[in-house]
Amino acid sequence: MAVSEQILTSKQLATLSINTIRTLAIDAVEQANSGHPGAPMGLAPVAYMLWQHFLRFDPQDPTWPDRDRFVLSNGHASMLLYAILYLTRVRGTNPEYESTGEFAISLEDIKRFRQLDSKTPGHPEYRIAGGIETTTGPLGQGVGTSVGMAIGSRWRAAHLNRPGFEIFNYNVYAFCGDGDIMEGVGSEAASLAGHLKLANLCWIYDDNRVTLDGPAAWSLSEDVGKRFSAYGWTVTDVADANDLDALDNAYRRFQQTTEGPTLIRVHSHIGYGAPHKQDTNAAHGEPLGEEEARLAKRSYGWPEDSKFLVPDGVLEHFEQGIGRRGHELRENWMQLYAEYARRFPELAEQIAGMEHRELPPGWDRDLPQFPADAKGMATRDSSGKVLNQVAQRLPWLIGGSADLATSDRTRLKFEGAGDFQAGSYGGRNLHFGVREHGMAAAVNGLALAKLRSYGGTFFNFNDYMKPAVRLAALMEIPSVFIYTHDSIGLGEDGPTHQPIEQLAQLRAMPNLLVIRPADANEVVEAWKVILPLKHRPTALVLTRQALPTFDRSKYGSASGLAKGGYILADPPNGQPEVILMGTGSEVSLCLAACQQLQSEGIKVRVVSMPCWSLFEEQSEQYRNHVLPAPLKARVAVEAASTLGWDRYVGPNGKTIGMHRFGASAPGKDVFRKFGFTPEKVVEAAREAIAESK
Ligand SMILES: Cc1ncc(C[n+]2csc(CCOP(=O)(O)OP(=O)(O)O)c2C)c(N)n1
Ligand SMILES: [Mg+2]
């Protein structure tokens, strides 16, 4: 090692390091016989310059709260990130968000690229290795998420910094490709970031004029720079990705820019160095092949037969660069933070709480309890009340709506809640505008920035958010998606706005809690379940229309919601003959039907099933207690696609649901038209009893 240090200039060491990134990517893709070598080859110098000279990041502690965030939005270039994490010796993290001291990615891990249970999956995944700030691969998600991270930095600075104590001020860097630029979510995110003047946000656009199918020009011809300028971004061009001085200037310029976000457009060569594939989509999506790999290595001055070669001096070079620089930055920060914690112990406590996703003591004090009320209130309204109460005790609960805050009741109205805008970065009401996808991705970014974040819109517009909701579930982060106007019950807006298949769609998603409360007190219990979650996102599904508030002295306690499903009503004497079950607005229909059936001497159990997945997680004993196997006469009622209910109603059961799109009319009329009446439930119950005998 010392030998090469002596004989190589720093420029030569830089080139050696850059080519090490390139060849590791080539070899890993070759060995896996799958993956994308071209983008890492083109972007290696761009990543090298950022990490080695600019990124405020200490490889020894990838959980340092004020670290700069690096997002690889073109996640197919995953080997670029894995190579960097390996070469800079980034440490691992555990599920408690603590640094483990072990290396996040070893050379062995790189050799097992894309293999079962490796730490190097096809696309970078959050929680698998330290230094991976978010999961990317679906193009556009990374840049979308980066906006939430940048908002999080600004909010933390406004809320937590004190004169002389700039504890938070991190930047967010996102690499992106033509795909990210073309995806709609990328445009939503760029527009929002420009509006918010997030000068701490830098996207580095790999303008290589190639996508998967061929030349980018086949499908992209706008002037991207002008588009971003129009969004309020500063656009900097780097004419050649291999020009380290130009990259240096571009990053410097970003760091000095205070007006708004920066786009660094880097003209690069996909597959750089591979003579027959460079600048063509042939360097994409498949290995170079043995011969081309050799030729590429020859062009780098590499031993052609070498595999996974890390030349002497490279690890040390990174250690001398980002290793030392980053460590010093963190050490200085730690010193400042120690003093800050002495001076502002309450703020330090908040920071500790945020970092570990703990809730402040007493966060659930004074939550409302709603008295029985036949007229009741919409669950969107009870949710708005709970949210406003709890947000006062949980200072880092922030969020907003995609331009429907007056409808989805996500607005925080208490004194001091404020609006998050350029110039008022301490506000807690985010205005995402009519950008559902951008909102959902930003909510994820905020959750990754360790804020307790939520975003609201109409349930049917979940379709516009779904890719980001899915990533929240995959990443195991606790984003909260608040969906109101949850069924045909919303009424006059009609079938375009009336969700049918959303519940089934979301229930099919692993690790997502889908909660549809039946009354105001179930809403309170839902928030009590949601807020302590650390590793799963929630879809909270709420009504527009008023629902009766059940008399809990007569019925089962709403705290049963935490078990996903619970007995709400049972016959006063003897075993039930039939079970009526439902979620949300249809539970009160079940109760009404129950009353009628009881008056005819039929013994009825009513089960509220607000969250299927929580119910599935209960013991078999509990589930059998609620839904006893021998009791085969069952009716499920839900104003949505019936898909999935057969699992609870069984072969003799009946499901009253939606088999077509809804209709535009007052909610009550629509409900009646599609059979959501106590009479129909009674009828179905009688049939179920008859058929089960
Ligand atoms: C949402 C989404 N659609 C499609 C893909 C499949 N895909 C992976 S890479 C790629 C091409 C992207 O082109 P670009 O962003 O220019 O990356 P480059 O080829 O320059 O590395 C595509 C279409 C994807 N990963 N995500
Ligand atoms: Mg491209």
Side-chain angles (χ1 to χ4, degrees):
M1 137 224 151
V3 181
S4 37
E5 286 261 16
Q6 283 158 16
I7 56 172
L8 294 180
T9 65
S10 68
K11 210 145 207 162
Q12 287 168 320
L13 270 170
T15 307
L16 196 68
S17 303
I18 290 164
N19 288 333
T20 305
I21 298 172
R22 287 176 166 140
T23 50
L24 284 176
I26 292 171
D27 290 338
V29 171
E30 212 66 27
Q31 175 132 322
N33 197 23
S34 113
H36 301 250
M41 291 159 75
L43 282 171
V46 189
Y48 167 83
M49 280 306 287
L50 175 62
W51 280 71
Q52 184 75 336
H53 296 292
F54 292 93
L55 201 71
R56 195 180 142 81
F57 184 87
D58 179 4
Q60 288 185 37
D61 184 4
T63 65
W64 170 26
D66 196 41
R67 70 191 181 280
D68 284 349
R69 269 47 169 193
F70 176 77
V71 173
L72 187 73
S73 196
N74 44 351
H76 57 276
S78 55
M79 260 315 302
L80 177 69
L81 183 51
Y82 298 146
I84 285 272
L85 294 180
Y86 161 61
L87 293 171
T88 59
R89 308 315 254 157
V90 172
R91 301 306 199 274
T93 44
N94 66 19
E96 305 313 313
Y97 313 107
E98 288 149 351
S99 192
T100 59
E102 286 158 28
F103 294 122
I105 300 282
S106 66
L107 196 56
E108 282 314 301
D109 294 321
I110 288 180
K111 291 177 182 166
R112 299 200 60 241
F113 182 47
R114 292 182 163 233
Q115 303 309 303
L116 203 59
D117 297 327
S118 77
K119 287 159 85 185
T120 48
H123 298 84
E125 292 182 40
Y126 181 64
R127 287 175 67 76
I128 287 196
I132 297 176
E133 303 282 7
T134 182
T135 298
T136 53
L139 293 165
Q141 288 301 320
V143 286
T145 304
S146 75
V147 173
M149 292 175 171
I151 293 172
S153 174
R154 284 293 187 246
W155 187 85
R156 279 188 181 227
H159 183 71
L160 297 164
N161 288 353
R162 290 294 177 271
F165 292 93
E166 197 176 89
I167 297 299
F168 289 108
N169 185 27
Y170 66 79
N171 290 325
V172 182
Y173 297 88
F175 278 20
C176 56
D178 299 296
D180 299 285
I181 295 297
M182 286 192 272
E183 287 288 354
V185 65
S187 304
E188 292 180 23
S191 166
L192 180 60
H195 167 75
L196 293 172
K197 302 197 193 317
L198 298 174
N200 58 342
L201 180 64
C202 182
W203 291 3
I204 296 94
Y205 166 33
D206 180 23
D207 186 1
N208 59 11
R209 302 161 308 281
V210 169
T211 62
L212 212 47
D213 276 356
W218 282 359
S219 52
L220 179 69
S221 53
E222 80 233 16
D223 184 329
V224 172
K226 278 192 185 150
R227 177 153 73 86
F228 275 72
S229 297
Y231 288 143
W233 289 54
T234 299
V235 178
T236 306
D237 276 284
V238 172
D240 177 3
N242 293 306
D243 182 344
L244 301 188
D245 292 333
L247 288 167
D248 186 76
N249 280 333
Y251 287 129
R252 263 177 224 287
R253 186 160 170 221
F254 157 65
Q255 292 193 338
Q256 287 155 9
T257 298
T258 53
E259 298 89 69
T262 293
L263 181 76
I264 300 178
R265 179 168 53 179
V266 181
H267 300 264
S268 78
H269 303 278
I270 195 167
Y272 177 80
H276 305 107
K277 299 200 168 180
Q278 180 174 318
D279 290 327
T280 74
N281 64 320
H284 211 327
E286 58 180 31
L288 294 180
E290 202 177 319
E291 185 51 25
E292 192 74 0
R294 279 174 172 281
L295 293 175
K297 285 177 188 167
R298 185 189 296 172
S299 81
Y300 307 145
W302 230 243
E304 290 177 31
D305 290 327
S306 67
K307 291 261 157 72
F308 301 102
L309 173 67
V310 180
D312 283 354
V314 170
L315 288 171
E316 293 76 9
H317 177 60
F318 280 111
E319 168 59 32
Q320 301 297 316
I322 180 172
R324 192 180 280 177
R325 187 178 57 78
H327 192 64
E328 249 174 55
L329 286 167
R330 185 171 66 94
E331 289 282 305
N332 293 341
W333 185 89
M334 298 282 276
Q335 274 179 20
L336 186 68
Y337 186 72
E339 179 58 20
Y340 172 89
R342 266 192 297 278
R343 298 263 289 272
F344 311 103
E346 281 146 44
L347 296 180
E349 215 166 287
Q350 285 191 28
I351 293 167
M354 290 163 78
E355 288 305 312
H356 292 94
R357 300 200 190 286
E358 300 291 348
L359 297 165
W363 66 274
D364 55 352
R365 230 183 297 139
D366 306 327
L367 287 181
Q369 284 301 319
F370 296 93
D373 178 0
K375 221 171 111 236
M377 70 170 71
T379 48
R380 63 170 170 165
D381 285 320
S382 42
S383 176
K385 286 186 201 303
V386 177
L387 184 64
N388 268 276
Q389 179 61 37
V390 80
Q392 296 179 57
R393 299 204 182 275
L394 182 50
W396 55 95
L397 180 64
I398 83 169
S401 174
D403 201 45
L404 285 168
T406 46
S407 294
D408 61 34
R409 309 291 200 255
T410 52
R411 186 160 182 81
L412 301 182
K413 295 178 170 167
F414 51 87
E415 175 85 38
D419 290 313
F420 185 96
Q421 289 288 2
S424 62
Y425 287 138
R428 295 172 62 183
N429 284 296
L430 287 155
H431 298 278
F432 292 107
V434 192
R435 301 183 186 94
E436 292 82 7
H437 200 172
M439 170 176 75
V443 165
N444 289 347
L446 284 159
L448 290 163
K450 301 288 180 66
L451 303 182
R452 211 61 188 83
S453 54
Y454 57 88
T457 183
F458 289 173
F459 193 25
N460 209 39
F461 304 147
N462 165 61
D463 283 341
Y464 282 53
M465 304 161 57
K466 157 93 174 6
V469 177
R470 185 174 191 276
L471 275 194
L474 178 61
M475 284 193 274
E476 303 181 11
I477 57 171
S479 304
V480 182
F481 304 105
I482 300 174
Y483 297 113
T484 64
H485 297 57
D486 69 346
S487 79
I488 54 169
L490 68 85
E492 293 84 344
D493 273 340
T496 56
H497 285 47
Q498 293 166 347
I500 303 294
E501 72 284 16
Q502 300 299 340
L503 281 169
Q505 187 191 144
L506 290 184
R507 280 174 182 151
M509 196 185 289
N511 197 40
L512 175 73
L513 289 186
V514 181
I515 308 181
R516 187 171 184 243
D519 78 341
N521 290 310
E522 276 197 14
V523 168
V524 178
E525 297 302 322
W527 277 106
K528 285 208 239 173
V529 167
I530 292 168
L531 287 166
L533 292 171
K534 294 184 178 185
H535 296 304
R536 42 200 324 193
T538 316
L540 181 62
V541 181
L542 305 167
T543 66
R544 170 185 184 235
Q545 74 275 21
L547 304 182
T549 305
F550 306 141
D551 181 352
R552 298 286 172 171
S553 66
K554 238 165 81 188
Y555 298 124
S557 161
S559 62
L561 175 135
K563 292 197 156 94
Y566 65 100
I567 300 169
L568 194 58
D570 244 354
N573 50 350
Q575 291 300 311
E577 299 161 70
V578 62
I579 302 177
L580 308 181
M581 62 186 107
T583 74
S585 46
E586 287 69 71
V587 174
S588 56
L589 278 181
C590 294
L591 283 177
C594 166
Q595 266 178 4
Q596 190 177 327
L597 289 162
Q598 304 263 52
S599 72
E600 297 169 19
I602 298 173
K603 297 195 175 78
V604 182
R605 167 174 292 180
V606 176
V607 171
S608 180
M609 291 281 286
C611 182
W612 289 11
S613 41
L614 284 177
F615 186 67
E616 293 303 319
E617 287 162 24
Q618 304 308 311
S619 67
E620 196 182 339
Q621 192 192 359
Y622 177 78
R623 282 180 284 126
N624 265 326
H625 162 69
V626 177
L627 302 175
L631 187 40
K632 303 236 184 291
R634 303 177 179 195
V635 179
V637 193
E638 188 170 67
S641 161
T642 58
L643 190 72
W645 274 109
D646 45 347
R647 119 171 20 171
Y648 297 119
V649 297
N652 298 105
K654 307 268 163 212
T655 303
I656 302 178
M658 289 298 292
H659 302 278
R660 49 158 280 187
F661 293 113
S664 171
K668 284 197 169 66
D669 296 343
V670 184
F671 254 61
R672 199 171 319 111
K673 174 179 170 65
F674 291 108
F676 296 96
T677 60
E679 295 73 42
K680 291 281 184 196
V681 180
V682 165
E683 207 177 292
R686 286 208 194 94
E687 279 171 28
I689 293 168
E691 285 169 28
S692 68
K693 278 191 177 136

